[in-house]
Amino acid sequence: MRALLHGVHLGLYILDECGRIIMTNPYAEQVLGRSARELIGADAHDLLHRNPDGSKLPRSQCPQIQALEMADSVHTEETWFVRSDGELVPLGLMGAAIQLDGRLGAVVLFYDLRRHKAIEQEQAAHLSVLEELTGRLSLMAEISTVLASTLDKEEALRRLTRLVVPRLADWAVIDLLGPGGELRRVSIVSGNREDNARARQWEGVLPAPDQLSHSPMARVLRGSPSVLLTGHDLASRDGSPFCVFQRRLFDHIRPTSVVIAPLRTPRRVLGAISLARCAPTPDFDMPDLSLIDDIAGRAGLSVDNADMYEVQRRIAETMQRHLISPLPAIEELELAARYQPAPRGSRVGGDWYDAFPLPGGLTALVIGDVTGHDLQAAADMSQIRNMLRTMAWAERTSPSRVVARLDEALPYIAGDLMATLVLALAERRERGRWRLRWTSAGHPPPLLVGDDGGTVFLEGAEGLLLGTGLAMERTDAVVPIPPGGTVLLYTDGLIENREESLDEGMSRLSRHAAALAGLPLPMFCTEILGRMRNDVMDDVALLALRPRS
């Protein structure tokens, strides 16, 4: 018995039939903070057993007492004993009835759960940290995806605010600085749907922040780092129009905590993002400040990239329009053209058209497509156009001969450049009749549209595209242009579609052209382009000719 009591690493005591402790071991004294003298003779339930809040537990619910009354052992995974110093100790406990000299008693074993509790709490804390870190990494990944999903900076910022509310804040506001220092609120979002509808009144142009203002927003826009503010910090008494406007917004939101972070790049500050939390949401802390600062940095780079893209787009589009010559004014012919760049990319490419008069009452029409969708393609296109004009003037011969000479010269000027084109000559015949002579170098066939809506694709003069290096004989084809008829030249971007074959695209073009045959030529081109674009991802050029009545 002595070896059992002193050797086991568990608390152990024995109860008599009344629930009084009659024997205990040293480990029980250590865990309970009570000496054997204090324990022996005491009622175990009254002295030790408590609820988790420290209140006394009803005797009927005590497993020690239950062990005196049951034949089976009693086990509880967690119960609470009070130490002599008042500390509550969580214990795992098991009790079993025994016979003591013919009388009923019970033996009680228990072990200290404090170490297990500490490990569980530590693991829970680690798990909480990992879950929070995982959530933040997931949020940052989603934010990066959202910011990269569009080159429209305002749309990207609106998507950003919808993402951080309510995952990170109850309100999100983004303000952008303009080229002249003006400030414009591009997005304000609330986690409450009703507030969202009213929040629109706070969007738009804002009063310019005073350069001498000490308000948090003004300092951040001047280049100060991100700031974490309480509701009291926001009660600025600055009387400038900008601060008054900001204070009215915060009076409406009534935040308890706000973070204002600059949308910055290494070169400049582009604006600011303000995130607010309202009661009962917990206030922002320093890790939140660091996270929001990172989000603002990414948003700033996204805005900067969008700005640079827009500048390049304007330059490229201006270059493209200057490379395409204006249509000549020809008394007996009506000409119209349209150019629409690809919806994505640099908005400059190799699609082009040209028209110019030649001696002898001829009018040359050209539609072409140089491989590529960049400034190099535009430069190559300009070279081909100029060469073609020169050769057409110098040769003054059939379209096929001009295109053949161009194909011969191409390798010596433009290297491995490849292109398609149609060169056509419109010629006035006797009694006001017109005819068209053309040749094709790997290009989609022209479409002839009668004033009655009849349509036919002009074939019979097909040849290889330019730049193949293969010698071949090119041919011409001739067709009369009926009175009121329209000749439509176009690039393949008009008829190519990811969801249909090329034949289906040509059939669709034929149907639309037939339906639009009676429209004035400029409107005819505009409507054709609008109806055919759908999901096309390529550049499109159109050139249309119609003899005047």
Side-chain angles (χ1 to χ4, degrees):
M1 178 64 76
R2 185 179 298 110
L4 175 63
L5 290 175
H6 289 267
V8 69
H9 199 64
L10 292 171
L12 186 152
Y13 55 70
I14 297 174
L15 305 178
D16 64 12
E17 70 274 14
C18 296
R20 293 188 296 266
I21 300 172
I22 60 175
M23 189 179 294
T24 186
N25 73 342
Y27 189 76
E29 297 177 49
Q30 176 187 336
V31 172
L32 300 176
R34 300 175 187 272
S35 65
R37 180 176 299 177
E38 184 181 357
L39 291 169
I40 293 174
D43 185 290
H45 173 73
D46 291 342
L47 178 67
L48 302 172
H49 211 177
R50 297 290 184 272
N51 282 313
D53 60 1
S55 61
K56 286 192 174 183
L57 188 74
R59 196 173 185 85
S60 61
Q61 299 178 19
C62 178
Q64 304 173 94
I65 304 303
Q66 292 171 0
L68 291 169
E69 301 171 351
M70 299 175 62
D72 295 331
S73 62
V74 177
H75 176 258
T76 178
E77 293 184 356
E78 181 178 286
T79 192
W80 297 82
F81 279 10
V82 62
R83 289 167 50 91
S84 60
D85 58 5
E87 179 187 356
L88 288 170
V89 182
L91 303 173
L93 182 145
M94 185 172 67
I98 60 172
Q99 292 291 327
L100 299 170
D101 297 331
R103 294 171 298 165
L104 185 65
V107 61
V108 177
L109 294 168
F110 58 87
Y111 49 92
D112 192 346
L113 291 177
R114 284 178 294 184
R115 183 169 178 272
H116 297 282
K117 288 281 187 183
I119 293 174
E120 287 179 359
Q121 290 173 356
E122 184 178 358
Q123 290 176 338
H126 285 314
L127 181 60
S128 176
V129 170
L130 287 174
E131 288 177 345
E132 183 178 1
L133 179 59
T134 301
R136 294 193 173 201
L137 289 175
S138 174
L139 177 62
M140 293 305 297
E142 291 183 53
I143 286 172
S144 298
T145 301
V146 162
L147 293 175
S149 63
T150 176
L151 285 170
D152 184 334
K153 63 184 179 183
E154 294 191 10
E155 176 59 26
L157 295 177
R158 283 191 288 268
R159 294 178 186 177
L160 172 62
T161 53
R162 291 193 294 267
L163 186 60
V164 298
V165 174
R167 292 176 61 175
L168 192 58
D170 298 316
W171 284 81
V173 181
I174 295 184
D175 304 321
L176 283 183
L177 285 169
E182 67 277 7
L183 191 63
R184 191 162 59 87
R185 182 153 295 158
V186 298
S187 182
I188 176 169
V189 173
S190 167
N192 184 294
R193 183 174 299 178
E194 294 181 0
D195 283 338
N196 258 333
R198 293 194 294 266
R200 298 293 176 84
Q201 63 180 304
W202 305 101
E203 292 183 352
V205 178
L206 307 183
D210 190 339
Q211 289 299 314
L212 300 178
S213 172
H214 295 288
S215 71
M217 173 67 83
R219 295 199 308 270
V220 165
L221 291 174
R222 290 199 297 266
S224 294
S226 304
V227 292
L228 173 57
L229 307 169
T230 65
H232 176 73
D233 296 328
L234 298 169
S236 168
R237 296 297 98 192
D238 191 323
S240 67
F242 171 74
C243 291
V244 170
F245 187 86
Q246 284 291 93
R247 191 160 59 247
R248 285 168 50 202
L249 172 62
F250 288 132
D251 288 344
H252 174 74
I253 295 176
R254 302 179 67 183
T256 57
S257 182
V258 173
V259 170
I260 303 176
L263 306 181
R264 68 165 71 247
T265 70
R267 300 179 292 113
R268 56 183 178 139
V269 175
L270 303 171
I273 179 172
S274 304
L275 300 185
R277 287 182 178 175
C278 309
T281 306
D283 290 351
F284 290 113
D285 53 21
M286 295 309 293
D288 292 325
L289 178 65
S290 176
L291 175 65
I292 296 168
D293 188 63
D294 191 7
I295 292 172
R298 296 183 186 218
L301 290 175
S302 175
V303 171
D304 196 41
N305 288 338
D307 285 343
M308 289 190 292
Y309 167 80
E310 183 61 24
V311 170
Q312 292 176 350
R313 185 198 65 78
R314 287 197 296 266
I315 293 172
E317 191 169 356
T318 300
M319 176 182 175
Q320 178 81 42
R321 298 199 181 280
H322 280 81
L323 288 175
I324 298 177
S325 302
L327 297 177
I330 298 176
E331 183 178 355
E332 297 174 311
L333 290 177
E334 187 178 3
L335 297 172
R338 296 290 182 269
Y339 174 78
Q340 184 166 313
R344 296 177 185 171
S346 65
R347 297 183 69 88
V348 61
D351 287 25
W352 57 288
Y353 61 82
D354 196 8
F356 50 92
L358 291 173
L362 299 177
T363 299
L365 307 173
V366 188
I367 194 83
D369 186 358
V370 178
T371 54
H373 296 89
D374 52 22
L375 292 175
Q376 183 61 50
D380 292 340
M381 173 269 288
S382 179
Q383 281 188 302
I384 291 179
R385 183 200 64 181
N386 293 335
M387 289 172 59
L388 186 63
R389 277 198 169 208
T390 301
M391 290 180 175
W393 270 92
E395 296 290 335
R396 300 187 186 182
T397 183
S398 67
S400 60
R401 180 59 182 161
V402 173
V403 172
R405 291 295 301 274
L406 175 65
D407 195 17
E408 292 173 7
L410 212 55
Y412 301 96
I413 297 174
D416 58 356
L417 170 67
M418 301 186 78
T420 68
L421 64 79
V422 168
L423 172 61
L425 296 179
E427 181 182 5
R428 181 181 175 86
R429 309 295 289 173
E430 65 278 357
R431 291 179 296 184
R433 299 288 182 175
W434 287 83
R435 73 176 182 182
L436 190 75
R437 180 187 298 272
W438 81 95
T439 190
S440 173
H443 200 82
L447 179 64
L448 179 61
V449 185
D451 61 351
D452 59 354
T455 61
V456 60
F457 286 102
L458 303 183
E459 298 176 338
E462 295 83 4
L464 286 177
L465 72 164
L466 304 178
T468 64
L470 300 175
M472 66 162 293
E473 183 178 354
R474 298 186 180 275
T475 60
D476 295 307
V478 180
V479 66
I481 305 175
T486 301
V487 176
L488 177 64
L489 310 180
Y490 54 92
T491 55
D492 57 4
L494 186 68
I495 54 175
E496 287 183 343
N497 189 301
R498 290 181 298 189
E499 299 178 356
E500 63 184 12
S501 68
L502 196 60
D503 288 341
E504 290 172 329
M506 293 177 66
S507 177
R508 192 156 55 91
L509 172 60
S510 178
R511 291 196 306 271
H512 288 312
L516 300 170
L519 292 180
L521 198 60
M523 189 179 298
F524 173 85
C525 291
T526 299
E527 286 294 318
I528 285 287
L529 189 60
R531 295 189 184 192
M532 290 295 296
R533 281 299 282 169
N534 288 345
D535 196 28
V536 176
M537 304 304 294
D538 200 0
D539 303 356
V540 173
L542 300 179
L543 177 60
L545 170 147
R546 181 182 293 168
R548 298 184 188 276
S549 300

